[in-house]
Amino acid sequence: MAMLESEGAPAASGATLARHTAVLPAENVTGYRAFQAGSFEFHRDEYFARITWPGGSHVMPVDYFLRALMRDVAWGFFYGTVNFDGVFGTTNHYGEVTMYAGLYNDSFKAAGRDFSERFDSNDLMGVFKAMIGDWTNAGYDPFAAPMETGTPWGPKQGANHSAVERLRVTAKRMVGLPGDTPVRTDESGFPVNRMFHDVPQDAPKVFAEPGFEDEVSAFNLFAYLSRSDVTWNPSVCSVVGESLFCPTSEEFILPVDHGNDRCEWFIVLTDEIVWDVKDKETGKNRARVIMKAGDVACMPADIRHTGYADKRSMLLVWENASPKIPELIAKGEAPLVSVQF
Ligand SMILES: [Fe+2]
């Protein structure tokens, strides 16, 4: 048994943290390893991910599980809550993370059957990275649209480390600035996606005053997004203080129900995205939002949402990344909605 045990310092939050993690031997029949984090245990077989915890168990189709796990890993547990489905997921405390079963599910809560444990983020991330690496077969890319990748089914067959170890784009100031994350080109391995051949690839010309060459820049955001090789992956492309523009290209389904811990602006740049919006705590339906190119919406801080895009679509997600916001909202000092009419 390979142990990932960490003898960490006391939790910064003062919370009691689960410290135990382990990678179990490969199973004889399927070839997949099993994993432990705290009291949770994870197994996969040909079709399913199976999760157990004291007093309960859960099953997810493994394609859906891997797509959600991939986002949680690449996003570093993201803002707020990443619901893999209506039962299982993680909530980010920024340095620590809660992994839960049924915590945001009305039926589990009402029956007193929800279960959760809190981890140091690095401990849980170590297990999640090992799991996505072991459970992803050669030829399958959990970040890709279903029509642009293979299938995840069957016993273990190789691996796809280059796909699951992609780094999320996080510009320090803006894409294309000297020393910052580069624009995408054919030469750098980012061809135009099959659905975006109609997107102009011209680039703006910039004439900076002498001495300001490192300060003035521009790039064609549509061309940049047309070359994204992944879906549902908001990437930080420009930063002003704590204001982040996180554009992304979307196709098929956002494979998580994202539980916001702050307001979140969406601007659909091309095509159409349909959002299912539910109550963050209970999962009860609240709204269906159909957004076409040019539509702007602000998702409230007390909801969870998933999205659907038939044709590959471009979306601008605008986040205020201030770490103070969740606490301000919890105290009632910041609003749940950004605009009131
Ligand atoms: Fe969200």
Side-chain angles (χ1 to χ4, degrees):
M1 181 189 295
M3 304 298 287
L4 299 173
E5 199 96 31
S6 78
E7 300 295 333
S13 65
T16 301
L17 300 186
R19 293 288 186 185
H20 169 76
T21 60
V23 180
L24 304 181
E27 294 175 12
N28 286 339
V29 175
T30 64
Y32 295 109
R33 291 184 181 277
F35 299 86
Q36 293 174 338
S39 308
F40 287 86
E41 190 160 312
F42 300 83
H43 294 256
R44 90 151 274 189
D45 52 33
E46 285 90 340
Y47 281 126
F48 300 107
R50 300 177 187 274
I51 309 168
T52 59
W53 58 89
S57 65
H58 188 50
V59 179
M60 289 181 65
V62 78
D63 62 332
Y64 213 92
F65 180 83
L66 290 175
R67 287 192 203 107
L69 180 63
M70 183 76 261
R71 271 72 182 180
D72 221 10
V73 167
W75 298 345
F77 302 116
F78 209 43
Y79 299 105
T81 295
V82 173
N83 294 289
F84 284 41
D85 63 3
V87 174
F88 178 80
T90 59
T91 294
N92 197 351
H93 310 293
Y94 309 99
E96 296 172 10
V97 59
T98 294
M99 183 159 64
Y100 59 81
L103 184 60
Y104 301 104
N105 179 300
D106 234 8
S107 301
F108 274 78
K109 290 290 282 185
R113 299 295 298 273
D114 61 293
F115 181 84
S116 57
E117 284 179 324
R118 188 156 164 151
F119 296 82
D120 180 283
S121 296
N122 292 327
D123 290 351
L124 190 59
M125 184 56 72
V127 175
F128 277 15
K129 283 185 174 175
M131 188 153 47
I132 193 81
D134 187 71
W135 287 10
T136 301
N137 286 322
Y140 180 66
D141 181 350
F143 249 140
M147 285 201 288
E148 295 182 347
T149 187
T151 64
W153 318 118
K156 184 160 177 60
Q157 310 155 58
N160 192 357
H161 294 303
S162 61
V164 301
E165 291 170 4
R166 278 191 192 91
L167 293 176
R168 178 184 180 219
V169 171
T170 50
K172 294 190 283 290
R173 291 191 296 168
M174 191 181 80
V175 167
L177 275 170
D180 216 321
T181 189
V183 294
R184 296 173 176 141
T185 63
D186 288 343
E187 293 71 32
S188 62
F190 293 95
V192 175
N193 182 267
R194 76 195 197 287
M195 288 200 185
F196 286 141
H197 286 304
D198 57 341
V199 174
Q201 296 293 315
D202 58 323
K205 290 190 171 64
V206 176
F207 302 93
E209 287 289 322
F212 291 89
E213 292 86 353
D214 289 353
E215 304 296 329
V216 182
S217 183
F219 71 106
N220 181 343
L221 177 62
F222 285 86
Y224 183 80
L225 289 175
S226 75
R227 294 173 178 272
S228 173
D229 62 341
V230 296
T231 57
W232 306 102
N233 184 34
S235 301
V236 181
C237 287
S238 70
V239 180
V240 179
E242 286 166 329
S243 172
L244 309 182
F245 268 3
C246 307
T248 160
S249 70
E250 321 293 48
E251 182 177 333
F252 190 51
I253 298 173
L254 170 59
V256 306
D257 235 348
H258 180 224
N260 287 2
D261 67 0
R262 64 198 68 213
C263 300
E264 186 178 42
W265 290 88
F266 289 163
I267 304 170
V268 171
L269 301 177
T270 72
D271 304 286
E272 179 179 296
I273 301 175
V274 176
W275 301 101
D276 267 342
V277 182
K278 302 171 187 167
D279 183 85
K280 179 180 167 180
E281 298 292 331
T282 67
K284 286 180 178 160
N285 289 331
R286 275 182 57 174
R288 167 161 281 220
V289 181
I290 300 170
M291 295 182 67
K292 297 176 186 294
D295 286 347
V296 179
C298 183
M299 294 284 159
D302 61 348
I303 58 98
R304 70 179 80 174
H305 62 87
T306 194
Y308 310 90
D310 183 25
K311 187 180 184 308
R312 204 175 185 94
S313 167
M314 296 181 187
L315 172 71
L316 178 59
V317 180
W318 180 22
E319 305 273 8
N320 183 331
S322 169
K324 298 175 188 155
I325 291 178
E327 191 184 344
L328 290 174
I329 288 175
K331 289 183 188 165
E333 295 173 5
L336 292 170
V337 294
S338 294
V339 180
Q340 286 184 317
F341 299 100

